[in-house]
Amino acid sequence: MTGVSDTGDLAIHTTGLGKSFGKRRAVNNLDLAVPRGSVFGFLGPNGSGKTTTIRMLLGLATPSSGTMSVLSQPMPAAAGEVLPKVGALVEGPAFHLFLSGRANLTRLDSADSTTDRSTRTRRVDAALEKVGLGKSARVPVHAYSLGMKQRLGIANALLRERELLVLDEPTNGLDPQGTREVRHLISALAEEGTTVFVSSHLLSEIEQMCSHVAVMSAGNLVAQGTLEQLRAQGRRGVKVATPDTSVAMAVLSRLGLDPHIEPLPGGEDGIVGAVLGPETPEPERLVEGLVAAGVRVRGFTVQPASLEERFVALTGEGFDLVQ
Amino acid sequence: MSSRGLLANEVILLYRRRRTWAMLLALGAVPVLIAVAVRLTSGPPTGRGPAFLDRVAGNGLFVAITGLLVCIPLFLPLTVAVVAGDTIAGEAGSGTLRYLLTAPVSRPRLLLVKFTVAVLFCLSATVMVAVCGLGIGSLLFPVGPVTLLSGTTISAPAALLRVGLIALYVAVSLIGLTAVGLFISTLTDVPVGAMAAIAVLAVAAQILGQLPQLDWLHPWLFTHHWLGFADLLRDPIRWTEFGQNALLQGGYLLVFGALAYGRFASKDVLS
């Protein structure tokens, strides 16, 4: 789908990757192909198997089935060689609270037996500076806000030059400004050639920074490709503003659509929305039908295919998590 | 070299924890309490209280030995349970385990380093009791040549060496419990649970050791030689029990070290 055939061009490549916890299948038959140099968005609602996948990619959890390679080497067999080239933020930051941010990073850097000790201080300070924690470097982490901890977690991923960054929900807990900073940081790193694999349940975030995207739903990969490819698969929709919502619903149903009433605060007009498919009549025919049936059409809009619509179509809507 | 980097960091982590020092200070307070109690009373009637207590007033060196003896059944195992239970479960509970493993640290290396640090704590704990005992003992009581259990008398410096040996004996005695603790710590992400389980095991093993019906089991309990350091106070020193104890603790280390490795090497880190 990505148009990449040679696996040498892939930073992450999985085939048939699966993970079960007892009877529950958390990840099912996953074929991921993350091209090198891409900013790859890994999108899915909470509980769709994103973090489990990331844990497997980093060698924290053993797959129940399938194979995976990271930076062209098999995982978890080559973990010792691969992981020093991978910066990771997994399921939120975690640090020893009584140690300062700086001491925590120093600890993690010295835990990696392949790091250069002579440059450690400089690299730790540079990473802290990069995420804007230079001033709080010596403060114990228990005094950090959630956003500061998140920044420290990102700093840990940036302790040395990485070929691949795996960032699980990197903007969690950040204020809008912090979110923007992280976005800038990611694009800057991508420009230097680092592959960034970023997971999120927020579509807008992925849309703003990613070149490629994969969508997870209930443990399955339901779409994968460039942002444009995914957007092109989306379908247009219509919205009708009218006080006669029930009649409008009946008319649209008769015309072969699957309309729904959109909740609207205040006012007597309701909004009836529907997704256009290849088989459904053109919008002007819909208006014609509505007017003919006596529906007082006060507004009619055609919405272009959006990623959001595609995302919702792929993963389902609302709070009901697909199990 | 690189492995030393991690080890050095874990040692620093241990001694920068307030909890570690709280436990060490509590252990150090035991001989101080004993010494003060003996000093304030006119001297206990011989034959009552822990062994060696009646000799404290006569020679300050015995404060250290009495202190160690009093700490062995409960206080030392409790502190070891806290440190050993925290090794893996503590990192898992706070989520830092996933960042250590992706740093990356190989799992066997992490186990080895964590175990080494825990054993270092055992040694710190016994040395703490011994040093505090010697300090308060020499402050409150006369210090001089010591009459050994075999009747011969050795000089105070030579007796100091014996105290050091006893501290070492006790530290070695705790290796088995530490290895069991390391294994239990790989079973859970809740450090408090691991700590409690280890402490319970230490007490349970001692209770089993008291039941004559279980005679056959006694030589296999890691607590079997805990109080057996009296032979170090003979002249010449009888090393039999020291050797048996070291062998037993080494056996526990091998078995539970292997179990911990078997469990941890394949464990899904999901915390």
Side-chain angles (χ1 to χ4, degrees):
Chain A
M1 209 183 250
T2 51
V4 183
S5 51
D6 183 10
T7 51
D9 294 344
L10 295 177
I12 297 173
H13 187 214
T14 73
T15 43
L17 192 67
K19 178 74 186 173
S20 309
F21 296 109
K23 280 188 182 164
R24 197 173 68 84
R25 197 102 179 121
V27 175
N28 202 13
N29 206 18
L30 194 68
D31 296 324
L32 262 184
V34 178
R36 278 191 196 250
S38 64
V39 178
F40 195 99
F42 195 39
L43 195 59
N46 296 322
S48 57
K50 300 189 300 288
T51 300
T52 305
T53 305
I54 287 176
R55 283 181 187 282
M56 286 192 282
L57 289 172
L58 296 171
L60 291 172
T62 321
S64 309
S65 58
T67 58
M68 51 186 178
S69 69
V70 175
L71 298 173
S72 310
Q73 284 183 294
M75 278 297 282
E81 286 166 67
V82 172
L83 290 179
K85 295 183 248 175
V86 180
L89 177 73
V90 195
E91 206 169 32
F95 296 100
H96 283 290
L97 300 180
F98 62 95
L99 292 180
S100 71
R102 204 158 177 277
N104 266 297
L105 290 193
T106 306
R107 171 174 189 250
L108 288 169
D109 194 71
S110 51
D112 178 356
S113 56
T114 60
T115 53
D116 183 357
R117 201 170 158 186
S118 60
T119 58
R120 183 165 297 153
T121 316
R122 190 175 53 73
R123 284 183 294 109
V124 166
D125 287 342
L128 286 165
E129 216 45 69
K130 239 180 204 168
V131 296
L133 282 180
K135 287 201 181 91
S136 320
R138 289 173 190 285
V139 178
V141 172
H142 67 69
Y144 280 26
S145 67
L146 180 60
M148 288 165 80
K149 285 180 193 155
Q150 188 74 10
R151 284 162 193 256
L152 190 60
I154 296 172
N156 169 47
L158 303 176
L159 274 175
R160 53 191 296 188
E161 293 229 339
R162 312 284 196 183
E163 286 179 37
L164 171 66
L165 284 177
V166 177
L167 304 174
D168 191 8
E169 309 267 0
T171 57
N172 244 5
L174 293 179
D175 49 24
Q177 193 187 344
T179 308
R180 212 170 58 221
E181 283 171 27
V182 167
R183 257 194 335 255
H184 288 317
L185 195 63
I186 287 176
S187 10
L189 289 161
E191 267 169 42
E192 292 166 22
T194 312
T195 310
V196 185
F197 183 81
V198 51
S199 87
S200 179
H201 62 276
L202 296 175
L203 177 75
S204 56
E205 203 171 278
I206 297 290
E207 209 170 358
Q208 284 180 66
M209 55 188 177
C210 295
S211 58
H212 293 67
V213 65
V215 182
M216 293 283 287
S217 176
N220 293 293
L221 189 66
V222 288
Q224 178 170 223
T226 64
L227 219 49
E228 283 66 40
Q229 283 171 338
L230 202 70
R231 194 175 277 136
Q233 291 168 11
R235 290 187 282 174
R236 297 181 300 162
V238 292
K239 282 192 197 304
V240 186
T242 173
D244 313 316
T245 47
S246 49
V247 187
M249 291 278 285
V251 173
L252 290 178
S253 299
R254 189 159 42 79
L255 289 170
L257 281 78
D258 182 21
H260 58 271
I261 296 183
E262 299 193 354
L264 200 70
E268 59 175 35
D269 286 4
I271 300 275
V272 176
V275 175
L276 294 178
E279 309 286 308
T280 55
E282 286 303 301
E284 57 271 23
R285 299 275 156 237
L286 296 178
V287 186
E288 215 175 86
L290 286 166
V291 173
V295 174
R296 288 168 286 171
V297 177
R298 290 182 175 161
F300 186 87
T301 44
V302 179
Q303 299 189 311
S306 78
L307 215 51
E308 184 176 2
E309 179 272 317
R310 185 76 193 123
F311 179 52
V312 170
L314 286 168
T315 62
E317 203 166 4
F319 290 109
D320 297 327
L321 295 180
V322 191
Q323 291 297 340
Chain B
M1 176 237 120
S2 43
S3 211
R4 248 189 292 146
L6 179 65
L7 183 60
N9 254 282
E10 292 307 301
V11 172
I12 293 170
L13 194 68
L14 175 70
Y15 291 109
R16 277 182 69 168
R17 266 177 200 265
R18 248 181 266 169
R19 184 176 72 195
T20 307
W21 285 105
M23 292 194 299
L24 288 178
L25 289 177
L27 285 170
V30 171
V32 174
L33 277 177
I34 293 171
V36 170
V38 171
R39 188 81 177 88
L40 291 182
T41 56
S42 49
T46 47
R48 284 187 55 211
F52 307 111
L53 188 63
D54 49 349
R55 304 182 57 177
V56 163
N59 195 331
L61 291 177
F62 277 97
V63 177
I65 299 172
T66 314
L68 281 168
L69 193 69
V70 168
C71 285
I72 287 173
L74 189 61
F75 295 132
L76 279 170
L78 268 186
T79 56
V80 170
V82 169
V83 173
D86 199 49
T87 46
I88 300 297
E91 299 282 354
S94 68
T96 43
L97 183 59
R98 59 177 184 266
Y99 288 108
L100 277 176
L101 294 180
T102 54
V105 184
S106 75
R107 296 183 185 207
R109 189 170 141 228
L110 186 63
L111 269 184
L112 190 68
V113 167
K114 285 288 185 185
F115 178 75
T116 309
V117 172
V119 170
L120 188 71
F121 175 81
C122 295
L123 194 63
S124 314
T126 55
V127 167
M128 184 75 179
V129 177
V131 167
C132 287
L134 291 173
I136 194 78
S138 58
L139 213 66
L140 298 185
F141 304 106
V143 172
V146 171
T147 308
L148 294 173
L149 297 177
S150 49
T152 42
T153 301
I154 56 171
S155 68
L160 212 57
L161 186 71
R162 300 290 176 107
V163 173
L165 273 178
I166 292 173
L168 183 68
Y169 179 94
V170 177
V172 169
S173 298
L174 294 169
I175 287 178
L177 181 64
T178 309
V180 174
L182 185 74
F183 170 58
I184 292 177
S185 192
T186 61
L187 298 178
T188 171
D189 295 344
V190 186
V192 180
M195 294 171 191
I198 300 163
V200 166
L201 264 183
V203 173
Q206 291 180 82
I207 293 174
L208 293 180
Q210 300 287 325
L211 299 177
Q213 289 83 354
L214 297 176
D215 262 345
W216 54 273
L217 181 67
H218 292 172
W220 301 99
L221 293 171
F222 59 87
T223 50
H224 186 59
H225 299 283
W226 274 13
L227 299 171
F229 58 72
D231 282 354
L232 298 175
L233 292 174
R234 295 181 203 282
D235 196 36
I237 296 176
R238 292 216 322 246
W239 292 98
T240 338
E241 184 129 24
F242 195 108
Q244 282 172 354
N245 183 31
L247 200 66
L248 181 70
Q249 303 298 335
Y252 269 91
L253 169 56
L254 278 182
V255 172
F256 283 91
L259 283 175
Y261 173 76
R263 163 69 182 161
F264 189 52
S266 59
K267 187 187 184 184
D268 281 343
V269 177
L270 301 172
S271 58

